[in-house]
Structure formats: structure tokens, C-alpha cells
Amino acid sequence: MKISGETQKSQFTKKNIISYKKRSNQPKGFKFNIYWIYGIIAAIFIVNAISNINPAQEIGEQELLQKIEGSQVKQLIFVKDKATNDVIEVEVELINDNRKPPHYINKPVNSERLLTKIDEIRNDTLKNNNNALIIKPKYRSDWLGGIIGWIIPLVIFIAIWFFIMRRMSGGGGGGGQIFSIGKAKGKLIDKENIKITFDDVAGLEEAKEEVTEIVDFLKSPQKYTKLGGKIPRGAMLVGPPGTGKTLLAKAVAGEAKVPFFSLSGSDFVEMFVGVGASRVRDLFKQAKEKSPSIIFIDEIDAIGRARGKNAMTGSNDERENTLNQLLTEMDGFGTNSGVIVMAATNRADILDKALTRAGRFDRQIFVDLPELIERKKIFDVHLKPLKLKKSLDVNFLARQTPGFSGADIANVCNEAALIAARKSKKTVDKEDFLDAVDRIIGGLEKKSKIISPNEKKTIAYHEAGHATVSWMLEHASPLIKVTIVPRGKSLGAAWYLPEERQLTTTEQMLDEICTAMGGRAAEDIFFGKISTGALSDLEKVTKMAYAMVSLYGLSKNIGNISYYDSSGQQSGFTKPYSEERAQNIDKEVSAILDKQYKRAKQILTKYKEKVENLGSYLLNKEVIFKTDLEKIFGPRKWKSYEEERLNNLEKEKDQKK
């Protein structure tokens, strides 16, 4: 169904937003509360207790008989239970007493004995021609107790039912009550409660540009509708965990100044059949009433998995019904004018194709891990609340954290502040950030681990071998720090600054393999024997060598062949090549590793004295840095492209100032 430009324009006027404010300020309707039932029961008990209160004084059986013998009693009323016909109490009315009867109350222990004695006394008075004692029966029905006995079990059953249903349906929100289990659990966030804007989102320039168009459409739709454009139905944020997808959605809500419904994909999933689809319908109904509005579904892969993949449960399960309803609401026969759906996921590969097609999620915005310049901007945001040392280089921090997400960088800044506070420092300096990175990547230091002197010496020369080879090779990652303090599962570690490359050449991969083999080569040269400490190095270089030969086609003997399967349909039980080819691949991998091992030994033999000095220095200090290597080996011949790029940016900033 087509919608004219004028109709769309009318839906996006300020009047709609004003009316939404008016509705939100109106008093809420009647809401049932289970505690009212408890109050009613308590009131019934109180009324019953008050009704049973009698101002008459209780009198004993012997005293009552004395008053009857003394002709002081005018009338006795025997109160009996209507159901059992048992005497409950005796009401006594005296002669010459102006008070309202009954004047006394007797609760007989043995009503038969009391009646017998009263008859005897009554017969004696009749013989003496005195005034006869009046005796009357009275029946009482305990209806209130019967009602309470019937109501209490029912109320207890209802209370238990309410408790079980609240626990099963999530206990809160729209679906927390039994009568609203099919209601959407999305949180409506008003513009006053959103403090995050695009200024708080560092990096992600391309992603921000994409969502900015959506925000601009919500603010001024006539700018686009007058040219015949239509509002996009949805935008999906795709990327690794921690890259800022949810933060970007919050910034959209803060910038758009429109009602923002936020919920998770798991909020639709329930144990009851049809609840998920019902919540989807209710969510879109609420969003339409408050249009223009935004719906944000985080972790949409919880309900958006491809249909028909699970043969065990069949194709008609609850998750698929929820997905079908979502597909219908986003692009069905109904109209969702003014409602934009945003979603976030890090599993875009498993989503249903009907969900990601044009007309539903029109745009897929890829939120990738931040690059060098973006990491610097992210650091600038997270460093604002910290008390930093003036000499702290933000460029160094950005280069020190390759592959870190925005969440990881925020964690690094927080961890550095905690480490500085633990050391009773007044400011956070470079060393605190390095310790924070080390702790996040490698784990806590284990200085208490027992290591023999021979083992410690082996570890020191092993790490010195890595450092030396990396320093002498052009394409190897430059070294930043070397430590022989046990950290996590490792006995020693060397930290590098890898270049962020989009393409990797054969020479670069061979240099990386050679650097990794430097540790074992140093053990062989200086001690004449090798240890198990090179396990992680061997695992790394073996995978790299097999990737060179069988995936990237970088081997001259094997040729330009790749056995990479991008579709993921290849079975792991069968190989796409013959046994002869497998033997050739194994031989080529072994040749590559042997050649780079010999190359590493040649470099270490050439600089043997300097390596020995580095090993001894590391053995004494336990931790050495880039400056220590420059003292021993001299400055490194090759400069990093990234470092030059950062320096150029700083020069451009200074020129603008």
C-alpha cells in the first residue's frame, strides 16, 4: 500500500510528539495488586473478632446457681449451635438491673448437669409460688467462620498461582503479570533519560554517518519525502563484541529526541506457546501509537536464526513463530509509518535471509574493530575522567592496543586507574597502562611461583632470542617489552607492536615465523639443548606455515592453489586433496619451518655477545623495555608506517593551531 508524501509528513509533525507527552503525563489506569486480597482477609478477621466481643461479664457455674437460688435471675437464654445443637453459652438477665441484657455470660463445662440443677431450682420456686425462672433457647449460626474456611484455601491457591506465574514469566515488566504475559517487555526510554549523544561515540565514523541519516529523517522527514524518498524500515548493526553497537543505538536515541523502545531478543522467548509472537505484535502496536519512534532489538540472533535448520524440534517451534511475526510486522500488509527498527548482532551469518533482505533491514552497518586513529579517539574519550601524567603519550597507547575493541580500551583505562590507586600514585602514568594491558592479555603476575635458577636462565635467554630476532628483521613486529615474570599460564612473555596490515606478503609471514623460532634457537645455541617452553611458538608457526601453503598459495612448490572453503559446507572428515598432495604439503611446511629456524640461529650467532648481554640484563632486571634494547643493539633501522602517520597528524594539528 502506497502512502503519499503528505500523509507521511502529517505523521511526523510536532503535534504527534506533543500528544505523546500529554498521554504520558496522564494518570495511570486501575491496576490490580495481590496485596489487596491480603488486606481483605485481614479486615474479615478483624470484623469477626469485633463482632464476638461482648461487654457482659463472665460468670462461673457455681456463682450462677447461687444467684438463681437467691431469686436474683429473671431469665436464662441457652445459646445453641444450629448445626450441632450443643450449648455454646448461657446469657443471664438479672432482676432489678437497668443495664442492657445480658448482664452475665456463662460458658458451661457440662450443659446437661447445669440444666438438671436449674430444673430442680425451678421446681422448688414453683412449689413455693414464687416467680418462675424464664428459660429460652437461642440458635446461632457461625456463617462468618464458614465463609472464611472456604475463602482462605482459595486465596492461598490464587496467591501460589500468582507467585508461580510471576517467576515463570520473568517477574517484572510488561510480561511479569499473569494477565499481561503477552505484553511486550520493551523499555520505553524518554529523551530526558538519555544522556548519550554522538559526541560520546568515538571512532565509528562511517557507522555514525549511516545512522545520522536515520536521525535526520526522524527530525525533518519533509526534507526527504518531498523528493519522493521513503523512510528506511530498519538498520542492522553487525560487528564483533564490544565494538560499540549498543552504544551507537543509545546515541541514536539521544540524538533523535523520539520515543525509543529498547529490548533484547531473548525477551520474546518464553515457555508458553504464542507468547513471543504476541509480544512482537504488542511492541509494534505501542511503537505505532507513539510514532515517530525507534525500536531497538539487541542480540536479534536469539530469534532471527535461519528457519528449518533444526531438524530435532521441527519447523514449527516457538522461535520460528516469533520470527514470522517479526517479518510480517516489518514488511507485511500493515503499515508501520514512522517506526524504525534497529538491531544489533555479532552473528550475522546465522540470520534468516528473509530478515536481512531489502524492505526489512534495508541497511547493514558493519561496526568493525577500531583502527589506529579510531583507537586514539576512543582513548581521548575514556581518558577525560582520569588524572593523567602530563608526559603521557596517547599515540603510544593507541599503538600498544592493536585488535582491542572499544570495550577493551575502556577496561584498560579503568584498570590503569585502579593499578595507580593501588600503588598510591597521584596520577596515572605510562607504566600503569602497560601493566593494565599486560594484566588483561596475559593475566596476573605470579611472583610466588617457584622457578629454579636454571629454569629462570633458560627463560631469560629464550625471551632474549625472540627480542633479538625481531629487532634485526625488517618485517617483524617491533618489540616493546620483555618480561620473565610468570604471568597467567606463561613463564615469560614478549610484547610487540604489530603493523595493522590489510595485506600480508610472503616476506612478512616468513619474518614473523623466524621471530617466533628465535626462542628455541637461543636455547640450542647457549645451552646445547631445547625445552618444552616453545610450545605456543611452535603451535603459532605451524598454523602460519600451513596457511601459507594450503590457503594463501604462497608456496612455489605447491603452486597457486587454495583449499579454503568460504561456504563452510566442506566436511571435516574428508580432505579436498589426495594423499600425495597431503604429503607434499607436509614436506613444504617442514621445509619452511626448518629454513626459518636456521635463519634465526644465524642471526643469534652473529650477535651472540649482545644476546648474552641482553639475557644477563633480563635475568637481573626481570623486565626490560624498548629503550634497553636500543642501548644494546642501537636504534632500529626501520620505522613504522603507523608511527609516521600519527606524527603527521600531530604536525597537522599543530599547524592548524
Side-chain angles (χ1 to χ4, degrees):
M1 185 175 72
K2 294 185 178 180
I3 302 174
S4 64
E6 292 296 325
T7 306
Q8 287 188 341
K9 183 177 177 180
S10 63
Q11 291 174 345
F12 291 91
T13 55
K14 293 183 179 180
K15 291 182 179 180
N16 288 337
I17 301 175
I18 294 170
S19 64
Y20 156 68
K21 289 181 180 180
K22 289 180 179 179
R23 288 196 299 269
S24 62
N25 293 329
Q26 289 176 358
K28 297 180 179 179
F30 176 80
K31 287 187 177 181
F32 176 77
N33 197 329
I34 194 172
Y35 293 103
W36 292 357
I37 298 176
Y38 302 148
I40 293 170
I41 295 171
I44 291 172
F45 277 110
I46 293 170
V47 170
N48 188 30
I50 293 173
S51 62
N52 292 330
I53 295 175
N54 201 315
Q57 186 180 353
E58 191 171 345
I59 189 172
E61 186 174 321
Q62 194 64 33
E63 189 179 354
L64 174 62
L65 293 174
Q66 290 177 0
K67 288 185 177 296
I68 294 172
E69 290 176 351
S71 300
Q72 299 179 18
V73 179
K74 179 180 179 182
Q75 181 175 262
L76 295 175
I77 298 175
F78 285 83
V79 182
K80 297 181 178 182
D81 190 354
K82 195 173 183 180
T84 61
N85 204 34
D86 295 332
V87 179
I88 303 172
E89 61 185 19
V90 180
E91 296 180 358
V92 182
E93 183 182 351
L94 301 178
I95 301 173
N96 299 325
D97 197 327
N98 297 325
R99 294 178 300 168
K100 185 179 179 181
H103 302 135
Y104 291 99
I105 296 290
N106 173 256
K107 295 182 179 180
V109 179
N110 189 346
S111 59
E112 294 293 333
R113 185 168 61 88
L114 181 64
L115 285 170
T116 304
K117 289 187 177 183
I118 289 174
D119 286 340
E120 293 177 357
I121 297 171
R122 189 181 179 193
N123 292 329
D124 291 340
T125 54
L126 289 172
K127 287 178 182 179
N128 297 326
N129 294 322
N130 293 334
N131 294 329
L133 177 66
I134 302 171
I135 298 177
K136 292 182 179 179
K138 183 179 177 182
Y139 293 94
R140 179 183 296 172
S141 178
D142 193 11
W143 59 271
L144 190 60
I147 293 174
I148 292 174
W150 177 76
I151 287 177
I152 288 177
L154 182 63
V155 170
I156 292 173
F157 175 78
I158 293 173
I160 294 172
W161 177 257
F162 265 81
F163 176 76
I164 293 172
M165 297 307 296
R166 283 177 66 93
R167 295 298 297 264
M168 289 193 302
S169 53
Q177 304 289 339
I178 184 175
F179 300 115
S180 59
I181 193 170
K183 300 291 184 181
K185 302 175 74 173
K187 297 179 180 179
L188 177 60
I189 305 174
D190 296 325
K191 62 181 182 180
E192 291 81 9
N193 299 327
I194 304 174
K195 308 295 182 183
I196 299 173
T197 61
F198 285 148
D199 296 334
D200 301 315
V201 183
L204 310 177
E205 298 301 328
E206 291 80 8
K208 282 197 290 187
E209 186 177 348
E210 291 268 6
V211 296
T212 301
E213 292 184 7
I214 297 174
V215 174
D216 191 37
F217 195 102
L218 292 170
K219 288 183 176 180
S220 54
Q222 64 276 3
K223 177 181 175 183
Y224 301 89
T225 54
K226 69 180 181 181
L227 299 176
K230 294 182 179 179
I231 186 172
R233 295 292 181 93
M236 184 172 294
L237 304 173
V238 182
T243 51
K245 298 184 294 294
T246 306
L247 181 66
L248 191 60
K250 291 180 180 177
V252 170
E255 292 284 344
K257 307 293 185 185
V258 295
F260 188 85
F261 294 87
S262 174
L263 73 166
S264 173
S266 60
D267 291 335
F268 296 104
V269 182
E270 203 62 74
M271 66 174 291
F272 301 106
V273 178
V275 172
S278 176
R279 287 178 178 174
V280 171
R281 287 192 295 270
D282 186 68
L283 175 65
F284 277 85
K285 181 183 176 184
Q286 294 180 36
K288 290 174 193 175
E289 291 174 354
K290 294 177 172 56
S291 67
S293 58
I294 298 174
I295 297 173
F296 176 64
I297 305 174
D298 202 4
E299 307 297 342
I300 197 173
D301 52 274
I303 60 170
R305 289 176 180 265
R307 292 166 291 181
K309 294 286 184 170
N310 194 355
M312 296 295 292
T313 58
S315 60
N316 192 26
D317 63 351
E318 178 64 14
R319 186 178 282 105
E320 290 192 6
N321 291 337
T322 306
L323 175 58
N324 292 336
Q325 186 63 45
L326 180 63
L327 296 175
T328 304
E329 291 289 344
M330 288 191 69
D331 189 19
F333 283 99
T335 59
N336 290 323
S337 299
V339 179
I340 294 177
V341 184
M342 293 185 66
T345 181
N346 49 28
R347 299 290 308 278
D349 55 317
I350 65 171
L351 295 179
D352 196 278
K353 292 182 179 179
L355 188 65
T356 56
R357 73 159 175 85
R360 290 196 172 105
F361 283 102
D362 301 289
R363 301 180 180 181
Q364 284 199 21
I365 305 170
F366 192 70
V367 186
D368 203 356
L369 291 171
E371 296 183 352
L372 180 66
I373 306 300
E374 292 176 333
R375 289 200 302 272
K376 184 178 180 298
K377 293 179 180 179
I378 295 171
F379 266 111
D380 289 335
V381 171
H382 293 292
L383 291 176
K384 285 181 181 178
L386 303 183
K387 293 182 178 179
L388 304 173
K389 197 172 183 179
K390 293 182 179 180
S391 61
L392 184 66
D393 187 10
V394 184
N395 294 338
F396 172 79
L397 298 178
R399 291 202 63 217
Q400 185 64 26
T401 52
F404 278 46
S405 65
D408 293 332
I409 292 173
N411 192 21
V412 167
C413 295
N414 184 62
E415 194 67 38
L418 296 178
I419 291 171
R422 201 177 296 122
K423 295 178 181 178
S424 301
K425 293 183 178 180
K426 294 183 179 181
T427 57
V428 187
D429 56 16
K430 176 182 175 182
E431 294 299 321
D432 299 322
F433 282 96
L434 288 174
D435 292 341
V437 173
D438 295 350
R439 183 171 181 178
I440 292 171
I441 297 176
L444 288 171
E445 288 185 349
K446 295 182 178 179
K447 294 184 178 180
S448 60
K449 183 174 282 190
I450 299 173
I451 302 175
S452 66
N454 290 331
E455 288 177 337
K456 194 172 183 180
K457 189 175 181 181
T458 302
I459 297 168
Y461 277 81
H462 181 103
E463 299 299 335
H466 284 308
T468 303
V469 176
S470 69
W471 198 260
M472 297 302 170
L473 294 178
E474 180 181 358
H475 303 293
S477 301
L479 188 79
I480 289 298
K481 177 182 177 182
V482 183
T483 177
I484 59 171
V485 178
R487 188 181 289 273
K489 293 182 179 180
S490 64
L491 299 175
W495 310 105
Y496 304 90
L497 281 181
E499 292 281 348
E500 295 186 48
R501 308 183 184 110
Q502 306 302 322
L503 297 172
T504 304
T505 62
T506 306
E507 291 76 17
Q508 290 169 345
M509 295 190 75
L510 292 176
D511 284 359
E512 292 291 338
I513 293 174
C514 186
T515 301
M517 301 292 277
R520 170 158 287 193
E523 292 180 23
D524 193 7
I525 291 172
F526 290 96
F527 304 106
K529 54 185 177 182
I530 56 177
S531 67
T532 60
L535 175 60
S536 60
D537 301 328
L538 295 176
E539 181 187 5
K540 175 185 175 183
V541 298
T542 304
K543 289 181 178 178
M544 288 180 67
Y546 270 105
M548 288 177 63
V549 176
S550 62
L551 297 182
Y552 301 121
L554 299 178
S555 172
K556 293 181 180 180
N557 295 329
I558 300 300
N560 299 322
I561 296 176
S562 177
Y563 297 104
Y564 177 68
D565 181 30
S566 60
S567 63
Q569 297 178 355
Q570 184 178 305
S571 175
F573 298 101
T574 59
K575 295 180 180 178
Y577 43 80
S578 64
E579 287 296 326
E580 184 181 356
R581 176 55 60 99
Q583 291 178 6
N584 292 333
I585 290 174
D586 292 340
K587 288 179 182 178
E588 186 65 18
V589 168
S590 298
I592 291 173
L593 297 181
D594 290 340
K595 186 177 179 181
Q596 297 307 315
Y597 182 68
K598 292 177 181 177
R599 185 185 176 197
K601 289 181 72 174
Q602 290 174 359
I603 295 172
L604 294 174
T605 305
K606 184 179 179 180
Y607 301 97
K608 189 174 181 179
E609 293 182 3
K610 293 183 178 181
V611 177
E612 197 164 1
N613 293 334
L614 180 61
S616 302
Y617 189 76
L618 185 59
L619 197 59
N620 294 326
K621 297 290 185 180
E622 291 189 338
V623 180
I624 60 173
F625 297 93
K626 180 181 177 182
T627 53
D628 300 317
L629 265 75
E630 289 178 346
K631 292 177 183 177
I632 297 174
F633 296 100
R636 200 165 182 263
K637 298 178 182 179
W638 308 277
K639 289 186 178 180
S640 171
Y641 165 72
E642 293 178 349
E643 191 173 354
E644 292 179 358
R645 188 181 173 192
L646 286 171
N647 292 333
N648 292 333
L649 288 173
E650 292 294 330
K651 289 179 182 178
E652 290 177 2
K653 284 185 179 179
D654 294 337
Q655 289 176 0
K656 289 180 180 179
K657 290 180 180 179

